[in-house]
Structure formats: C-alpha cells, structure tokens
Amino acid sequence: MYSIVMDLGEKISILAGAAKFDASCASSGSTGRGAAFGLAKPAGVCHSWTEDGRCVSLLKVLFSNTCRFDCAYCVNRASADIKRTSFTVDELVELTLQFYRRNYIEGLFLSSGIFADPDMVMEKLIETAKKLRTEAGYGGYIHLKIIPGTGEKLIRRAGLYADRLSANIELPTDRSLQTLAPQKSGKVILGAMEEVAGAGAQFEEDRRRIRFLPRGKTSAPVFAPAGQSTQIIVGASPEDDRQIISLSGALYRKFSLRRVYYSAFVPVGAPVRGGVSDPRLPDIPGPPLVREHRLYQADWLLRFYHFSPDEILDQSTPFLDPHLDPKTAWALKNLDQFPLELNAADYEALLRVPGIGAKSARRILEVRRSRSLSFDGLRRLGVVLKRARYFITLAGSFLDRPDDPRRIRRILSDSDGAGLQIPLFEF
Ligand code: SF4
C-alpha cells in the first residue's frame, strides 16, 4: 500500500523501523538490548560500537522499504503487507545533516529495499553519501549497504564516499539462500565482497605508490577506510554453528572482512498477504539470543586469539555449548595442554588460557622481563583469575588443579548465557 502524501516524521519512523533487523553495523536500537544509556533519542538513532569499543550513535535507516525480493526472513519482503515509503536523496541528506548538527548522531547507516534495478538503488545510496560529503559539509561516518546485484563500477564509487561497505551473506549456505531468499545468489554476494576487497587493496597500493611521486601529486582517494562487514542470520535455516564459524573463518581469510555480525533470527511479525506465516521458516518461540552470543564469542577467538574454525568446533561437536564460553570449552577439551607455566609460556599459548585476553597476555610478557609474576599481580594485569586459576601455574605453584573437568565446567558454566551482548571484553 503506497502513501502519496506522508510527512517526514512518519517516513523516518517506517524506514528506521524497517532497518533495525540489519545487524551489520553492530548496533542496537535505543530501546533494545544493550542500550542502557538513558538518553531519549529521535527515531532511527541507535548505538553502535567501533573497533576499539567506543560507543557511537548512528542514524540507521532504509532509503526505501519497497522491495522486489521476497526473502522469507525479512519484514520488508515483497509479500509482506506493510506500509511502504521512500526518502528522496534531498530529504535524507537534510535529515542526516540536521541530526548531525544537533549532535544526535555521529554517523549514518544506509541500506534499502530493492525498489528498482539494483544499480539504480545503489545509485541513490551513493548519491546521498556523495551529497553529504561534497555539498553538505557532513564530516560524520557513513556505512553503505551494497545492494545485491550492484555492478563493479558502482561498488568502487560507493567506497569513495563511505567509510564502511557491507554486502550481507545472510545465510550460511547457497542451499538455504535458495530456499529462503531465492532471488539472491551466494555467488553474487561473494563477488561483491571480492570486489570490495580488491578495490580496497588497489586503492591502498595507489596511495603507497603516490608517496614516491614528485611534489604536487600527493593525494590519492581513500577507499572505504573502515573496510567491509557482513551479516549472517542465525536460526532461520538448519545449518549448525560449525558451518557458520567455518564460513566466517573463510570470509575473514579471503576478503579481509573487518567483522562478521551474527543476527539471531527474529520470527518476523508481519504475515504474508492473507495472514499466513511463511512455512519455509522455523517455528521458534523467539530469537536464539544465547546462540548468537556464543557465536560472537567464537568469532572473537577467530579474530583475536588465533584459533582456527576446526579447533573451536569439530564433527563430533557441531554446536557451541550454550552454558560455557567457547574458549573455556576448548580448554576443557584440551586439558593435556594445561596447566601452563606463565613464567615460560609464549604469547600464543597465553592467549589460549581462559581468563587471559590479548591485553593481559601482552602485559604478562612485559612484566616478566623485569620481575617475577605473582597471583595477586596477575589480577592487576587484567587476568580474570576466577577462570584462569584452573589452567595456570606460577613457578610450579597452583591456585587450583585442572584435575576434574566436570567440576571446573560446573563452576565456570553460566546458566543464563551471560550478558547477551556483542563481546567487547576479553575472556
Ligand atoms: S532484499 Fe530481501 S532482505 Fe533485503 S529488503 Fe528485500 S526482502 Fe528484505
């Protein structure tokens, strides 16, 4: 149903609501989980976290919620009976600018339903970003979604105005994509990621080369300096955690992705026309948030603790333990590698101890150069002794012996899935 006259406030409310299911900017709605900031924010403003854990506010909206595609898991799918609307480029530029000038936001996350040919939709997103950058004096962050099916040239142009680009892989296998999002193609999505990675590397190379050119030729354009990310929906299709983590590992390796975001499948409210739910979707009571949380922790192991996907999960254990963080689960499965003598262990071995993160591992190495370590001192270095105590020795002394994995598991289990936030902490 299309509205001919709709005020901007109503458009924002519709197009911000329609964007909230995209997790690929690590954001939370201002009234959603993780949003304990106590500030009343205008519609569409949500919180997001930077690589270094800083919280930023983003205007997260769709250009349009009209879509030709019919992805079963999406509230904006063509068959959903919802109110449709679109911004104009000028409306969106003005809105972003107003929010930015009033300090409501530090950035814009812009995606869109596919209301026309993918290139035409992408053109609108690029035009918005370009106008903000080159005409409106906007200096904030911009994250643009790559519309599935966009051509190479436009992907390259998008990276000239956006800080970050993302093409959502959505589902872990092509088979599930064909079932739930038949108009999408894994090959096309991976092709877009490859294009972004290739363009990023090429622009970086150009910038390096230009440094050696004579004066006056000293600038080369920057391409999406915050890199690319993607989103995988968890629980809408039958794949296990092992398949998801293997896919993430491959995406990080092949396309230098900065982040893979995991989005627990939300049984979408709007029924297809006629009031019937989509039979292709699982009948679950609510989003699998604990599973999403454990996947984020496993992802942390891939990115910061140098684990390979096969070490985290194998054929005999295809799902992450809902009650135990994946690093502790790994340590309990590999007790022959513990206890670790902290006075002698190298950085890689330290990283594998539950309760020792990258920062505390570096501090241990630093302190070890000038003085001996003590259990009390470890606390001051950021080691979480509650977890680490079963896995370490100092000059041969134990705090607790790793002799009974079932007892350690009982003590270190969290019954509630602990936290349910994207991890920004070391574990
Ligand atoms: S392409 Fe699919 S996921 Fe994207 S807006 Fe359209 S229906 Fe939703």
Side-chain angles (χ1 to χ4, degrees):
M1 189 199 312
Y2 291 85
S3 162
I4 298 175
V5 181
M6 189 181 281
D7 72 26
L8 200 53
E10 195 179 353
K11 280 192 184 183
I12 297 168
S13 140
I14 292 172
L15 294 170
K20 72 181 175 201
F21 295 103
D22 195 321
S24 59
C25 65
S27 62
S28 67
S30 47
T31 54
R33 65 203 150 91
F37 303 93
L39 289 173
K41 293 277 186 185
V45 178
C46 60
H47 302 104
S48 178
W49 291 272
T50 59
E51 303 282 304
D52 57 4
R54 230 166 24 89
C55 176
V56 293
S57 298
L58 291 182
L59 172 61
K60 185 175 178 182
V61 284
L62 298 187
F63 189 90
S64 171
N65 68 341
T66 300
C67 195
R68 293 175 169 184
F69 285 19
D70 200 43
C71 308
Y73 47 80
C74 178
V75 74
N76 306 309
R77 65 195 183 276
S79 60
D81 191 7
I82 55 167
K83 208 167 191 177
R84 310 277 178 176
T85 188
S86 305
F87 285 118
T88 64
V89 169
D90 287 340
E91 277 172 347
L92 199 45
V93 167
E94 188 53 31
L95 180 72
T96 308
L97 211 56
Q98 290 296 333
F99 277 21
Y100 184 64
R101 285 187 181 145
R102 289 177 196 174
N103 284 332
Y104 292 156
I105 58 161
E106 291 156 276
L108 169 69
F109 172 92
L110 182 56
S111 181
S112 183
I114 306 174
F115 56 86
D117 171 81
D119 275 354
M120 282 175 66
V121 180
M122 196 71 221
E123 289 267 16
K124 293 287 180 200
L125 306 194
I126 296 171
E127 205 183 324
T128 306
K130 184 180 175 190
K131 248 188 171 166
L132 280 166
R133 287 272 186 251
T134 60
E135 293 175 29
Y138 172 81
Y141 174 87
I142 298 179
H143 179 154
L144 289 187
K145 180 68 58 191
I146 297 172
I147 302 301
T150 300
E152 292 167 17
K153 269 192 191 153
L154 286 181
I155 291 177
R156 286 179 167 244
R157 263 185 60 210
L160 298 179
Y161 305 107
D163 293 278
R164 172 164 286 184
L165 296 172
S166 59
N168 280 355
I169 188 92
E170 306 284 29
L171 296 165
T173 59
D174 220 21
R175 197 172 169 181
S176 288
L177 214 51
Q178 277 163 27
T179 309
L180 297 181
Q183 289 122 318
K184 286 186 177 168
S185 139
K187 202 171 155 203
V188 168
I189 297 165
L190 294 176
M193 288 183 188
E194 190 170 13
E195 190 56 38
V196 173
Q202 195 197 319
F203 275 83
E204 193 44 43
E205 178 56 30
D206 289 349
R207 286 175 67 76
R208 247 197 308 273
R209 261 191 289 126
I210 228 154
R211 274 187 219 129
F212 300 102
L213 290 179
R215 273 167 173 258
K217 287 226 167 204
T218 51
S219 73
V222 181
F223 182 88
Q228 62 170 326
S229 59
T230 193
Q231 160 178 273
I232 301 175
I233 298 168
V234 178
S237 53
E239 291 82 6
D240 55 39
D241 292 345
R242 184 166 172 250
Q243 285 170 288
I244 294 175
I245 284 299
S246 299
L247 172 65
S248 299
L251 294 177
Y252 284 127
R253 231 181 16 258
K254 278 191 165 170
F255 305 125
S256 314
L257 254 67
R258 294 285 173 90
R259 287 299 301 269
V260 175
Y261 292 99
Y262 305 92
S263 177
F265 166 60
V266 180
V268 279
V272 292
R273 283 196 189 97
V276 187
S277 297
D278 194 315
R280 293 170 295 172
L281 291 169
D283 185 14
I284 52 173
L289 294 176
V290 173
R291 193 176 168 202
E292 177 196 273
H293 174 68
R294 294 297 179 214
L295 282 165
Y296 272 117
Q297 290 184 315
D299 186 272
W300 197 271
L301 296 188
L302 292 179
R303 291 188 299 135
F304 299 113
Y305 296 160
H306 310 167
F307 279 76
S308 69
D310 291 348
E311 288 177 297
I312 300 169
L313 289 171
D314 55 31
Q315 259 172 351
S316 65
T317 331
F319 284 96
L320 295 163
D321 189 326
H323 302 296
L324 211 57
D325 75 78
K327 195 179 185 188
T328 304
W330 175 85
L332 289 178
K333 261 183 120 176
N334 293 276
L335 272 185
D336 56 313
Q337 299 190 30
F338 299 101
L340 193 72
E341 172 53 53
L342 295 196
N343 284 304
D346 64 19
Y347 180 67
E348 293 297 320
L350 289 172
L351 281 183
R352 301 206 158 212
V353 180
I356 297 184
K359 214 187 274 174
S360 38
R362 280 196 301 274
R363 285 181 182 157
I364 288 171
L365 295 182
E366 256 168 52
V367 168
R368 235 167 52 183
R369 273 187 226 120
S370 55
R371 59 179 191 272
S372 51
L373 298 165
S374 69
F375 285 116
D376 263 353
L378 286 180
R379 241 185 226 110
R380 285 193 293 276
L381 299 181
V383 174
V384 184
L385 278 182
K386 185 185 155 216
R387 309 191 87 75
R389 59 188 300 123
Y390 309 99
F391 305 100
I392 56 174
T393 55
L394 277 184
S397 303
F398 286 93
L399 268 182
D400 217 320
R401 285 176 189 275
D403 48 7
D404 182 356
R406 275 187 304 184
R407 179 178 70 93
I408 302 172
R409 185 190 151 79
R410 209 171 41 247
I411 296 168
L412 295 184
S413 287
D414 37 53
S415 51
D416 60 355
L420 300 181
Q421 283 189 11
I422 296 173
L424 293 168
F425 48 83
E426 301 189 311
F427 63 96

